[in-house]
Amino acid sequence: MADQVQEKKKPKSIEDLSGVGQAVLNKLIDAGYSSLEAIAVASPQDLSVAAGIPLTTAQRIIKEARDALDIRFKTALEVKKERMNVRKITTSSQALDGLLGGGIETRTMTEFFGEFGSGKTQICHQISVNVQLPPEKGGLSGKAVYIDTEGTFRWERIEAMAKAAGLDPDTAMDNIYYMRAINSDHQIAIGDDLQEFIAKNPSVKVVIVDSVTSHFRAEYTGRENLAARQQKLNKHLHQLTRLAEIYDLAVIITNQVMARPDMFYGDPTVAVGGHTLYHVPGIRVQLKKSRGNKRIARIVDAPHLPEGEIVFAITEEGIRDAEE
C-alpha cells in the first residue's frame, strides 16, 4: 500500500515538484527549464541563478526530478535490459542496416562523414522519411527534426523517397520539422531550444544535423582559434547526446572530411572536428564514393559493433542495396 502511495506522489511535471510555486515555475520556464528532463540534467548553480532560488532548493528540485525519471546508478544487467529495448530505424538498404547492427539506433548519436557527394545528406533525407514508417516496416511511427547548416535540404528528395516508401508525400513533409542554422551560435541556440520543443512534441524520434561542423570550421579559422572551436563544438555535441538519451530518440550528424597531406599511409582524409568528434558520437561511419551510384560505408568506431564495410546505392527512390 505504501508503494502505491509513493507511486502517486511521483512528479509527472515541474508543477508537481515540491516548493515550486507559480513565481518560481514562471522563472524556470522563462529560463528554458520547462520539463523534468531539463531540470534533471541542469547544474544546481545554473538553476539557482535562473530561477532566483537558493542553491539548496535548486539541489532538492534537481534530485526530485532525477528520482522521478529514474536517473540513478544501475546494475550492468539493468543496462543490458535497457539496451535490448533500443529501437532501430531502417536505412532502406539491408546491407547498410546490417553494418549498423539493424539500423540507426535510438539513444545514440550516429555520425556519417565523407567527402562531398558521398551520400551523407541522402541518408539524412532517407531517415527523416523512414522514421515515419510503422515499426513493422522499420520505422518508429515518429517525426523528424532536420537542422540544415549548408542549405542542402531538398523537399523534392523527400517527396520521391516518401512515394517510394508508400507514404503520402505531403504528410511525410508535414512530419519533418526543418530549421536552417545561420551560424554556430544559432546552431547552439537551436540545440538549447530542442529540449523544450521535443518535450512538447514527443512524437519526434530523430534529430538530424547536416552538417554539424561546417559553421564552426568557417568561423573559427587558424590554430589560435582551435581550442575555442573545439570547446563550442563539444558543448553542441553533448547537447545532442543528452537529447538522444533523455528522450529515447536517434541523433544523426554528418561531417565533412579534410585532406591530410602529411599522411603517407592509410586514408589521407580525416573527419573535421578532430578529437572532439572522436570522443562523442556513439557510432562513426565513413562514406566513400564508388563507381556510378554506388557508395562504400565503413564502421570506423562503435563500441558494440564489429568493424566492417559494405556497398550500397543511391537511386532515384533513395538509399537502396547495390545491385550486383
Side-chain angles (χ1 to χ4, degrees):
M1 191 66 192
D3 284 348
Q4 284 177 323
V5 173
Q6 202 60 32
E7 194 60 40
K8 277 180 191 168
K9 284 185 179 173
K10 241 187 185 187
K12 293 279 188 285
S13 67
I14 57 172
E15 288 95 332
D16 301 335
L17 295 170
S18 61
V20 175
Q22 195 57 48
V24 173
L25 183 64
N26 292 343
K27 283 181 182 174
L28 287 171
I29 291 170
D30 288 346
Y33 299 102
S34 58
S35 65
L36 286 175
E37 288 84 0
I39 286 171
V41 296
S43 80
Q45 288 81 4
D46 289 350
L47 202 66
S48 166
V49 171
I53 53 176
L55 190 61
T56 50
T57 309
Q59 287 167 333
R60 194 190 71 242
I61 288 173
I62 289 169
K63 184 181 184 309
E64 269 191 60
R66 287 179 179 173
D67 289 346
L69 295 169
D70 199 26
I71 297 172
R72 57 183 174 80
F73 275 111
K74 294 172 184 175
T75 67
L77 185 60
E78 285 176 293
V79 173
K80 177 194 170 183
K81 285 174 181 169
E82 278 184 11
R83 285 282 317 158
M84 302 298 274
N85 292 328
V86 162
R87 295 172 298 167
K88 319 258 171 121
I89 307 163
T90 182
T91 61
S92 293
S93 158
Q94 283 188 333
L96 189 51
D97 283 354
L99 184 75
L100 294 166
I104 303 286
E105 292 185 359
T106 58
R107 297 192 190 184
T108 303
M109 182 186 285
T110 304
E111 177 199 354
F112 290 97
F113 70 93
E115 60 191 318
F116 176 79
S118 56
K120 306 183 296 289
T121 297
Q122 298 291 333
I123 288 174
C124 292
H125 281 66
Q126 189 71 64
I127 295 300
S128 66
V129 169
N130 289 2
V131 71
Q132 304 178 41
L133 295 167
E136 61 271 17
K137 289 190 175 175
L140 299 177
S141 299
K143 297 182 180 182
V145 165
Y146 200 114
I147 300 159
D148 177 8
T149 68
E150 297 182 301
T152 48
F153 181 82
R154 295 287 177 269
W155 65 264
E156 297 90 340
R157 290 300 287 145
I158 299 294
E159 192 168 71
M161 289 172 174
K163 281 180 183 169
L167 296 170
D168 173 64
D170 284 355
T171 306
M173 283 189 262
D174 210 26
N175 286 333
I176 299 169
Y177 298 109
Y178 172 86
M179 177 79 83
R180 177 77 198 267
I182 308 302
N183 55 35
S184 64
D185 285 326
H186 185 214
Q187 197 173 323
I188 286 177
I190 294 168
D192 286 332
D193 293 344
L194 272 177
Q195 186 116 17
E196 189 175 351
F197 183 79
I198 292 165
K200 288 177 180 170
N201 297 277
S203 53
V204 169
K205 291 298 167 201
V206 65
V207 171
I208 294 163
V209 186
D210 181 29
S211 93
V212 80
T213 47
S214 60
H215 286 320
F216 295 91
R217 187 186 188 187
E219 292 164 33
Y220 292 85
T221 54
R223 286 206 173 272
E224 68 279 11
N225 291 316
L226 192 60
R229 180 180 85 176
Q230 299 304 79
Q231 201 173 2
K232 211 168 171 188
L233 181 57
N234 197 27
K235 179 192 173 187
H236 184 47
L237 293 169
H238 280 95
Q239 275 179 328
L240 296 168
T241 308
R242 216 161 47 218
L243 286 175
E245 290 169 358
I246 293 171
Y247 294 106
D248 185 25
L249 49 82
V251 170
I252 297 174
I253 60 171
T254 69
N255 191 9
Q256 304 139 330
V257 293
M258 59 183 181
R260 283 273 307 275
D262 58 332
M263 194 153 172
F264 296 104
Y265 300 101
D267 189 348
T269 56
V270 294
V272 174
H275 298 300
T276 302
L277 257 85
Y278 296 156
H279 299 313
V280 181
I283 299 169
R284 306 186 74 228
V285 183
Q286 183 175 22
L287 300 177
K288 286 182 182 174
K289 291 179 188 173
S290 187
R291 275 178 301 184
N293 69 347
K294 291 191 172 81
R295 301 290 185 273
I296 297 162
R298 182 167 71 92
I299 292 275
V300 174
D301 186 27
H304 58 293
L305 295 173
E307 284 191 13
E309 191 171 279
I310 60 95
V311 178
F312 67 96
I314 298 172
T315 72
E316 288 293 316
E317 296 187 331
I319 305 296
R320 295 291 184 269
D321 280 326
E323 291 173 9
E324 291 305 320

